[in-house]
Amino acid sequence: MSRRVPFSLCIFAAAVVLSGCFTGQRPHFNSDPFAQGVPTGDAAIDAVLYELDAVTTGPATAVYAVLTKFGNTPTSATVVLDRSRRAIEVGQVRYVDTGGEQFTCTIDADTDAATDCTKGFNPARISDVGITIEFYAAEAAKRLRRDAQAQLGPAVAHEEVIANQTATCVSVTVTGGTAIYCVLEDGLIAKLDDGDVLITLGLLEPTVDAAKLHVASIGPRTVARELSPEND
């Protein structure tokens, strides 16, 4: 006398068999709330994120004033974008991306040329300023998404005129105060005011200085490291 197999067991067995019939990559859902393109669900915040996530590739030159609130220290910063090439200056440090290679250089105070360049981006050179190389868009978007996770109430949308440009802004109330983010239509940050820094756009031009995108030579210390037997 045969035993009847429970109906639920049949369903389980069928599911196992069918799962083996499907091939290919399974759908992937991005669960990172800080990733580019991920909306927050707050319309005022998402309007700013939409622009930051689609920042211009240029040609453009943006000049900023950065105030590091710890120590109340001012620093100048410049962003030069020219399609696949870019140069980011923070204080006396210039990061150059030629489209194929990346360099970290020191700006010569007399000639404004990039000197003592080393291969690769070295973010530690500007860590004391409290911003990263991507401060002008990607980092601002990440900060805003982080604040969206911690906001204490609905964000408030508004507009400001910054560097003669109309910017889309949002104020987000978080523990410790209110953070303000303003973005231009081209995706460049126009103002970022949170508990750590105040970044304000002072000048925007649709041109670039090609000299800022040029790296003449690599510093001797970098060459020595590359040729050292320890790195073979």
Side-chain angles (χ1 to χ4, degrees):
M1 182 174 170
S2 63
R3 299 179 62 184
R4 179 174 296 176
V5 179
F7 179 75
S8 59
L9 184 59
C10 293
I11 296 297
F12 175 77
V16 172
V17 172
L18 287 174
S19 66
C21 298
F22 294 97
T23 59
Q25 186 175 3
R26 295 182 179 181
H28 173 72
F29 298 94
N30 193 339
S31 59
D32 181 1
F34 306 132
Q36 181 180 7
V38 176
T40 67
D42 187 305
I45 293 176
D46 289 341
V48 174
L49 287 174
Y50 177 80
E51 302 294 353
L52 289 172
D53 285 342
V55 64
T56 180
T57 58
T61 298
V63 180
Y64 293 90
V66 180
L67 177 67
T68 305
K69 294 187 177 181
F70 181 77
N72 200 39
T73 305
T75 306
S76 61
T78 301
V79 177
V80 179
L81 304 174
D82 189 24
R83 308 309 178 189
S84 63
R85 302 184 301 162
R86 62 176 179 157
I88 314 300
E89 297 179 359
V90 179
Q92 292 304 113
V93 182
R94 179 181 297 161
Y95 298 93
V96 181
D97 188 338
T98 65
E101 293 184 286
Q102 297 176 334
F103 302 91
T104 301
C105 309
T106 298
I107 302 173
D108 186 285
D110 296 323
T111 65
D112 196 47
T115 61
D116 296 326
C117 296
T118 59
K119 287 187 176 180
F121 282 168
N122 180 4
R125 292 281 303 275
I126 60 171
S127 60
D128 60 326
V129 182
I131 62 174
T132 72
I133 303 161
E134 308 294 342
F135 78 90
Y136 61 93
E139 182 196 346
K142 183 171 288 188
R143 284 177 183 253
L144 179 51
R145 286 188 168 94
R146 180 192 63 196
D147 284 343
Q149 294 285 310
Q151 69 185 106
L152 300 178
V156 179
H158 62 282
E159 289 187 346
E160 293 187 27
V161 176
I162 302 171
N164 297 319
Q165 307 282 327
T166 300
T168 299
C169 304
V170 64
S171 298
V172 185
T173 301
V174 295
T175 301
T178 300
I180 300 173
Y181 297 82
C182 295
V183 64
L184 300 183
E185 188 177 1
D186 62 7
L188 288 168
I189 194 72
K191 179 180 179 180
L192 193 165
D193 187 2
D194 65 7
D196 300 318
V197 295
L198 169 60
I199 302 172
T200 308
L201 177 69
L203 177 68
L204 177 65
E205 296 181 337
T207 59
V208 300
D209 179 355
K212 292 183 180 293
L213 299 164
H214 180 65
V215 176
S217 61
I218 308 301
R221 284 175 295 183
T222 299
V223 174
R225 279 201 301 271
E226 290 175 347
L227 298 179
S228 172
E230 295 178 0
N231 294 320
D232 289 341

